[in-house]
Amino acid sequence: MAKENRSIINILDLSVEELDHLMDLADRIEKNKEEYWERCKHKKLATLFFEPSTRTRLSFEAAMLELGGSVLGFAGASSSSAAKGESVADTIETVSNYADIITMRHPKEGAPVVAANHTSVPFINAGDGGHFHPTQTLADLLTIRRCRGELSGLTIGLCGDLKFGRTVHSLIDAMLRYPNNRYILISPEELQLPEYEIEKLKEEGAEFIQTTDLEGSIPELDILYMTRVQKERFFNEEDYLRLKDIYILTKEKLENAKKDMAILHPLPRVNEISVAIDQDERAKYFYQTLCGKQMRMALILYLLGLDQ
Amino acid sequence: MAKENRSIINILDLSVEELDHLMDLADRIEKNKEEYWERCKHKKLATLFFEPSTRTRLSFEAAMLELGGSVLGFAGASSSSAAKGESVADTIETVSNYADIITMRHPKEGAPVVAANHTSVPFINAGDGGHFHPTQTLADLLTIRRCRGELSGLTIGLCGDLKFGRTVHSLIDAMLRYPNNRYILISPEELQLPEYEIEKLKEEGAEFIQTTDLEGSIPELDILYMTRVQKERFFNEEDYLRLKDIYILTKEKLENAKKDMAILHPLPRVNEISVAIDQDERAKYFYQTLCGKQMRMALILYLLGLDQ
Amino acid sequence: MAKENRSIINILDLSVEELDHLMDLADRIEKNKEEYWERCKHKKLATLFFEPSTRTRLSFEAAMLELGGSVLGFAGASSSSAAKGESVADTIETVSNYADIITMRHPKEGAPVVAANHTSVPFINAGDGGHFHPTQTLADLLTIRRCRGELSGLTIGLCGDLKFGRTVHSLIDAMLRYPNNRYILISPEELQLPEYEIEKLKEEGAEFIQTTDLEGSIPELDILYMTRVQKERFFNEEDYLRLKDIYILTKEKLENAKKDMAILHPLPRVNEISVAIDQDERAKYFYQTLCGKQMRMALILYLLGLDQ
């Protein structure tokens, strides 16, 4: 039974035991869908998206509906009272009277902390600017565990924008809690992993390599985590155009990969992974969205104390 | 049993007996949630919001969902056929085929009257421009009755924009139907209660005072109803800036207030009430949103003839 | 039982036997609502509207809710990941993991074909640009069958924008599969039925007349299908203003119409039909929206294999 009004802002808000419990729960849900069909009956999830995100919002909504609960909320700031100058704190105080659990995406880093201080129901951060997005990391962990059977002893390639990509940072933070993983950090020099994340790898004594070479790194990988090089992260168009196409995964680059390597991507993809790869058995990025839905189901159940 | 196709446009569309019945029903719902969990099963509420309003829309949706019904609709004019030039009348004729009860917010005063003429299911006005917003007044009434035990013999302070604030006018209209209430009308001279509302007070022989002094008025109040000074009501920025901060409720101003005074606000708040007051037991504006949800539940049940 | 992952892009994707089955099913639903109240329990419909459309979206949502299912989705491109450059293919791959059946409106012709190639659940085109909109035609067919008892041997007037009006083309395509119907094509010369649709009429040996005269054609009609002359179809304002008002249906023009003629319109209407006609028994355009909801219910049941 989770403690009341638990807020999940960062993946580190969950202990390793809790992560394992949530993954076990997701596996049970996968195998016994019907057992959970009415579990959240009469419960309501509020999805407060101050910034649009189809995938994350629909995933939360699908999760709650598959548990027999219902959903209310908004899909963009223009549909909300924020336009009238209302604070996040006041919105959360109010919505606490309308819903049994709240998830929020907000463009401002720190907004979830404010929300957590004002909610009287469990709260889940669904992404705050370039900061945290814990349920994406939950999706990543379950996908890796299901594809490889475990979360330790793996060689993990992280490729693309390692500087601004919040999903990469969170995934490293989470994987560092499992033993004996190696990290291959593949990016242009301009988009290398920030120093504070490098420090964490060192502190934990994790083996890691920084490289600009995607193709040469592939053969040793168990997991290849691709990310989008986002236009909005660049100061000028020229740098963006020069860099965006370098780390594109193609069929050719996959030739020397392990047969059971798993390719992940937080999506949306623009062109970082050639669509020709979608049919490859190693492509797990759409399966990852299924894992994401099931982890959100597990998290909702856990935070509502309905997991037993 | 409500008559078929009843439309609630203005708080005065409900008799005093009906108001009392709705408040009694809200109290029963509060105490026996489970009795009402399936009451609106197979019923659909349409929420047609031609103008965004998080609070009101989510409150209606939460209300219907807590009754076991479901919800469909839109959250802003850009998502609707209005953009293609469709009339409110045609939208309502159509949606009457999709839902069992309709609620609508529209920026144009008078739109709900058109809607009421074309609906073939019960209809609730969820706000029309600066005109009527009856379910806000239902929320206010229940909050006052629950905080003070009754709706008569009270000294009610109404503070802020009394000229354009539709919630203030509706609340006065409703409270005038209960005996022996005194009204302290606190506002800058530019935003005093309009003459036609003053006339109503006089006609009913109600005791009232017009003043510009918030702090001096507080000690005698049972209820303090604060309102937002809306920027969009002013012709120039200068007047807005000069006036908006005068009627801000602070901890200091509360010092001589009664211990059981209730502070209400229709929300959203910008800065009319210092956040330091949120923890004060007299702050009832978030509780008011809970009362609003329960009154909407009561009203939906009543209009659908499912209140027995 | 429909085959798995059936996609309906065009009305011609359904055989005559299937059309008849769907209409029979809609009639059964009309008579035995309660039998279908829980039929889609635990099923989810995704409504992906990359372009707003109140009527169609709400009709699909109402349909799914009346079958006991639930709904998730978005109401405009700005609320979707399309803004981040995601392809329709990737959106559909993902949403296939969230929903049991998908309906999509997209401004680009051809987008539904891409979607059909990537969905792993049944898919329904809810309109693609000026191209296809099969569920509107299903609504039209049921309305005609219910109003006239059959779909053959009828004289059908089609009036307004016959050049760009996709609903007119689809309705002709569908009606040509039923014998002995006559077509009176009423439009300004600039907006006549395109040659490829004329060819179809000739190939099937259907009797048809092209005319600019609405009033003179009315007396012989069993069905009058009015359409909107859309501003966005014209290259200049002047042409639009000259043509838009010519084919307006008024009480006077109806004087010599048959007593049991049925007037249809795909809606939204701007002013093509005088509101004075709404009270006339022959006005069936709002009833048509009810038929549309019931046909969508039938189609959802059929595609999910839940029609038996």
Side-chain angles (χ1 to χ4, degrees):
Chain A
M1 176 80 85
K3 86 169 180 37
E4 230 185 321
N5 303 344
R6 180 78 178 273
S7 291
I8 306 301
I9 293 173
N10 179 343
I11 191 68
L12 296 174
D13 291 336
L14 292 159
S15 69
V16 178
E17 291 68 31
E18 287 179 313
L19 294 178
D20 292 341
H21 171 63
L22 291 173
M23 287 184 275
D24 293 345
L25 187 52
D27 286 344
R28 272 211 306 282
I29 290 169
E30 162 101 332
K31 278 174 204 129
N32 310 287
K33 279 202 180 77
E34 297 167 30
E35 191 189 320
Y36 293 90
W37 268 352
E38 308 271 314
R39 196 60 77 89
C40 284
K41 206 171 174 179
H42 307 306
K43 298 290 182 190
K44 290 183 261 81
L45 167 70
T47 54
L48 310 183
F49 279 64
F50 289 90
E51 171 176 85
S53 167
T54 315
R55 188 177 322 284
T56 305
R57 183 172 59 83
L58 295 190
S59 179
F60 267 109
E61 297 192 3
M64 190 54 166
L65 293 172
E66 284 188 35
L67 293 166
S70 52
V71 177
L72 70 172
F74 50 85
S78 66
S79 313
S80 84
S81 286
K84 296 185 191 161
E86 182 170 72
S87 68
V88 166
D90 281 13
T91 299
I92 295 291
E93 292 273 4
T94 300
V95 174
S96 290
N97 282 325
Y98 299 159
D100 301 287
I101 179 166
I102 296 173
T103 185
M104 178 180 88
R105 167 159 297 195
H106 200 285
K108 258 196 186 145
E109 293 177 17
V113 177
V114 172
N117 285 334
H118 286 270
T119 183
S120 55
V121 298
F123 172 85
I124 305 169
N125 177 15
D128 59 327
H131 223 193
F132 302 127
H133 187 16
T135 58
Q136 177 64 51
T137 308
L138 292 178
D140 301 343
L141 292 175
L142 182 65
T143 311
I144 294 172
R145 196 175 90 161
R146 284 185 177 172
C147 289
R148 303 295 317 206
E150 56 189 339
L151 287 170
S152 51
L154 302 173
T155 297
I156 303 163
L158 298 142
C159 177
D161 174 2
L162 307 188
K163 186 171 179 185
F164 299 104
R166 64 183 166 189
T167 58
V168 167
H169 308 172
S170 289
L171 181 56
I172 290 173
D173 292 350
M175 290 301 291
L176 277 175
R177 302 160 86 182
Y178 294 90
N180 303 323
N181 292 309
R182 283 180 69 223
Y183 301 84
I184 317 290
L185 308 167
I186 309 157
S187 74
E189 281 176 16
E190 291 89 337
L191 295 175
Q192 279 182 353
L193 200 66
E195 199 49 44
Y196 64 86
E197 281 295 322
I198 294 286
E199 281 309 312
K200 289 182 192 170
L201 288 161
K202 288 180 179 165
E203 269 167 38
E204 298 292 332
E207 201 181 321
F208 70 94
I209 295 166
Q210 288 183 287
T211 173
T212 60
D213 181 10
L214 171 58
E215 191 159 8
S217 305
I218 282 182
E220 54 181 324
L221 303 180
D222 296 310
I223 300 292
L224 173 54
Y225 196 93
M226 297 293 298
T227 64
R228 186 156 56 106
V229 175
Q230 294 186 46
K231 198 172 180 174
E232 58 265 41
R233 301 301 184 201
F234 287 88
F235 291 109
N236 63 71
E237 184 89 5
E238 202 182 314
D239 278 3
Y240 170 69
L241 291 174
R242 180 174 56 81
L243 289 169
K244 84 182 168 72
D245 289 343
I246 293 180
Y247 296 93
I248 291 179
L249 189 63
T250 57
K251 278 204 131 172
E252 294 67 39
K253 292 195 185 117
L254 267 188
E255 257 167 33
N256 296 313
K258 292 184 184 173
K259 291 300 164 221
D260 60 354
M261 184 184 81
I263 305 166
L264 277 69
H265 189 298
L267 304 183
R269 143 178 81 175
V270 178
N271 65 347
E272 310 82 49
I273 301 177
S274 155
V275 293
I277 289 174
D278 294 2
Q279 306 308 319
D280 193 295
E281 276 190 2
R282 289 166 288 200
K284 299 297 186 191
Y285 30 92
F286 293 122
Y287 177 64
Q288 204 175 346
T289 65
L290 178 68
C291 293
K293 181 185 71 177
Q294 291 170 346
M295 283 304 267
R296 289 181 179 103
M297 290 172 80
L299 185 59
I300 288 168
L301 285 174
Y302 179 61
L303 295 179
L304 288 174
L306 297 170
D307 51 329
Q308 300 306 335
Chain B
M1 175 80 85
K3 86 170 180 36
E4 230 185 320
N5 303 341
R6 181 79 177 273
S7 292
I8 306 301
I9 294 173
N10 179 342
I11 191 68
L12 296 175
D13 291 337
L14 292 160
S15 69
V16 177
E17 290 69 31
E18 286 179 314
L19 293 178
D20 292 341
H21 172 62
L22 292 172
M23 287 183 275
D24 292 346
L25 187 51
D27 286 344
R28 273 212 304 284
I29 290 169
E30 163 102 331
K31 278 174 206 130
N32 311 286
K33 278 202 180 75
E34 298 167 29
E35 190 190 321
Y36 293 90
W37 267 352
E38 308 270 315
R39 194 61 75 90
C40 285
K41 207 171 176 181
H42 308 308
K43 298 290 180 190
K44 294 184 257 77
L45 167 70
T47 53
L48 310 183
F49 279 64
F50 288 90
E51 170 177 88
S53 167
T54 316
R55 186 176 325 281
T56 305
R57 183 171 61 81
L58 296 190
S59 178
F60 268 109
E61 297 192 3
M64 190 55 167
L65 294 170
E66 284 188 34
L67 293 167
S70 53
V71 176
L72 71 172
F74 51 85
S78 67
S79 311
S80 85
S81 286
K84 296 183 191 161
E86 183 171 69
S87 68
V88 165
D90 281 13
T91 299
I92 294 292
E93 291 273 4
T94 300
V95 174
S96 290
N97 282 324
Y98 298 160
D100 301 287
I101 180 166
I102 297 174
T103 185
M104 179 179 89
R105 168 161 296 197
H106 199 286
K108 258 195 185 146
E109 294 178 16
V113 176
V114 173
N117 284 334
H118 286 270
T119 184
S120 54
V121 298
F123 172 86
I124 305 168
N125 177 16
D128 57 329
H131 223 191
F132 301 126
H133 187 15
T135 57
Q136 177 62 52
T137 308
L138 291 178
D140 301 343
L141 292 176
L142 182 65
T143 311
I144 294 172
R145 197 176 88 160
R146 284 186 177 171
C147 289
R148 303 295 318 206
E150 56 189 336
L151 289 168
S152 50
L154 302 172
T155 298
I156 304 162
L158 299 142
C159 176
D161 173 2
L162 306 189
K163 185 173 181 185
F164 299 105
R166 64 181 166 190
T167 58
V168 167
H169 307 174
S170 289
L171 182 57
I172 290 173
D173 292 351
M175 290 300 290
L176 276 176
R177 301 159 87 183
Y178 293 91
N180 303 323
N181 292 309
R182 281 180 70 222
Y183 301 86
I184 316 290
L185 309 168
I186 309 156
S187 73
E189 279 175 19
E190 293 87 338
L191 295 175
Q192 278 181 354
L193 199 66
E195 197 50 42
Y196 63 85
E197 282 294 322
I198 295 286
E199 281 308 313
K200 289 181 192 171
L201 288 162
K202 288 181 181 167
E203 269 167 39
E204 298 292 333
E207 202 182 321
F208 70 93
I209 295 166
Q210 288 181 288
T211 173
T212 59
D213 180 12
L214 172 58
E215 191 160 8
S217 305
I218 282 182
E220 53 181 326
L221 302 179
D222 298 308
I223 301 292
L224 172 54
Y225 196 92
M226 297 293 298
T227 64
R228 185 157 57 107
V229 175
Q230 296 188 45
K231 199 173 181 173
E232 58 265 41
R233 301 301 184 202
F234 287 87
F235 291 109
N236 64 69
E237 185 88 5
E238 200 182 314
D239 277 3
Y240 170 70
L241 291 173
R242 180 173 54 83
L243 289 170
K244 82 181 170 73
D245 289 345
I246 293 181
Y247 295 93
I248 292 179
L249 189 64
T250 57
K251 277 202 134 172
E252 293 67 39
K253 292 194 184 119
L254 268 188
E255 257 168 35
N256 296 314
K258 291 185 185 172
K259 292 298 163 219
D260 59 355
M261 184 183 80
I263 306 166
L264 278 68
H265 189 298
L267 304 182
R269 145 177 81 176
V270 179
N271 67 347
E272 310 82 50
I273 301 176
S274 156
V275 295
I277 290 174
D278 295 2
Q279 307 309 320
D280 192 296
E281 277 191 2
R282 289 167 289 199
K284 299 297 185 189
Y285 30 93
F286 293 123
Y287 177 64
Q288 204 176 347
T289 66
L290 178 67
C291 293
K293 180 184 73 176
Q294 292 171 345
M295 282 305 267
R296 288 179 180 103
M297 292 172 79
L299 184 60
I300 289 169
L301 285 174
Y302 179 61
L303 294 179
L304 288 173
L306 297 169
D307 50 329
Q308 298 305 336
Chain C
M1 177 79 86
K3 86 172 184 31
E4 231 184 319
N5 303 343
R6 180 79 178 274
S7 291
I8 306 301
I9 295 174
N10 180 341
I11 190 69
L12 296 174
D13 291 336
L14 292 160
S15 69
V16 177
E17 290 68 32
E18 287 180 313
L19 293 178
D20 291 340
H21 173 62
L22 292 173
M23 287 184 275
D24 293 346
L25 188 51
D27 285 344
R28 272 211 305 284
I29 291 168
E30 161 101 332
K31 278 172 205 130
N32 310 286
K33 279 202 180 78
E34 297 167 30
E35 191 190 321
Y36 293 90
W37 268 351
E38 306 272 314
R39 196 60 76 88
C40 284
K41 207 171 174 181
H42 307 308
K43 298 291 180 188
K44 291 184 259 78
L45 167 71
T47 54
L48 310 182
F49 279 64
F50 289 90
E51 171 175 86
S53 168
T54 318
R55 188 177 321 285
T56 305
R57 184 172 61 80
L58 295 190
S59 178
F60 268 109
E61 297 191 2
M64 190 56 166
L65 294 170
E66 284 188 35
L67 294 165
S70 53
V71 176
L72 70 172
F74 50 85
S78 66
S79 312
S80 85
S81 285
K84 295 183 191 163
E86 182 171 70
S87 69
V88 166
D90 282 14
T91 298
I92 294 291
E93 291 273 4
T94 300
V95 175
S96 289
N97 283 324
Y98 298 159
D100 300 286
I101 180 166
I102 296 174
T103 185
M104 178 179 89
R105 168 160 294 197
H106 200 286
K108 257 195 186 149
E109 294 178 15
V113 176
V114 172
N117 285 335
H118 286 271
T119 183
S120 55
V121 298
F123 173 85
I124 305 168
N125 177 15
D128 57 328
H131 223 192
F132 301 127
H133 187 15
T135 56
Q136 176 64 52
T137 309
L138 291 178
D140 300 344
L141 292 176
L142 183 65
T143 311
I144 295 173
R145 196 175 89 162
R146 284 186 176 172
C147 289
R148 302 295 317 207
E150 57 190 337
L151 288 169
S152 51
L154 302 173
T155 297
I156 303 163
L158 298 143
C159 176
D161 174 2
L162 306 187
K163 186 173 181 185
F164 299 104
R166 64 183 166 189
T167 57
V168 167
H169 308 172
S170 290
L171 181 57
I172 290 173
D173 292 353
M175 289 301 290
L176 276 175
R177 301 160 87 183
Y178 294 90
N180 302 323
N181 292 310
R182 282 180 71 221
Y183 302 85
I184 316 289
L185 309 168
I186 309 157
S187 74
E189 279 175 18
E190 291 88 339
L191 294 175
Q192 279 182 354
L193 200 67
E195 198 50 42
Y196 62 87
E197 282 294 322
I198 295 285
E199 282 308 313
K200 289 181 192 171
L201 288 163
K202 288 181 180 166
E203 269 168 39
E204 297 292 332
E207 202 182 321
F208 70 93
I209 295 166
Q210 289 182 287
T211 174
T212 58
D213 182 11
L214 171 59
E215 190 160 6
S217 306
I218 282 181
E220 53 181 325
L221 303 179
D222 296 310
I223 301 293
L224 172 55
Y225 195 94
M226 297 294 297
T227 64
R228 187 158 54 109
V229 175
Q230 295 187 43
K231 199 172 180 174
E232 57 264 41
R233 301 302 183 200
F234 288 88
F235 291 109
N236 63 69
E237 184 89 4
E238 200 182 317
D239 278 3
Y240 170 70
L241 291 174
R242 181 174 54 82
L243 290 169
K244 83 180 168 73
D245 289 344
I246 294 180
Y247 296 93
I248 292 179
L249 189 63
T250 57
K251 279 201 132 174
E252 293 68 39
K253 291 191 185 123
L254 268 188
E255 257 168 32
N256 297 313
K258 291 185 185 173
K259 292 298 163 220
D260 59 355
M261 185 184 79
I263 306 165
L264 278 69
H265 188 298
L267 304 184
R269 147 177 77 175
V270 179
N271 66 346
E272 310 81 50
I273 301 176
S274 156
V275 294
I277 290 174
D278 295 2
Q279 305 309 320
D280 192 296
E281 277 191 0
R282 289 165 289 198
K284 299 298 185 187
Y285 31 92
F286 293 122
Y287 177 64
Q288 205 175 346
T289 65
L290 177 68
C291 293
K293 181 185 72 177
Q294 291 171 345
M295 283 305 267
R296 289 180 179 104
M297 291 172 80
L299 185 60
I300 289 168
L301 285 174
Y302 179 62
L303 295 178
L304 289 173
L306 297 170
D307 50 328
Q308 299 306 335

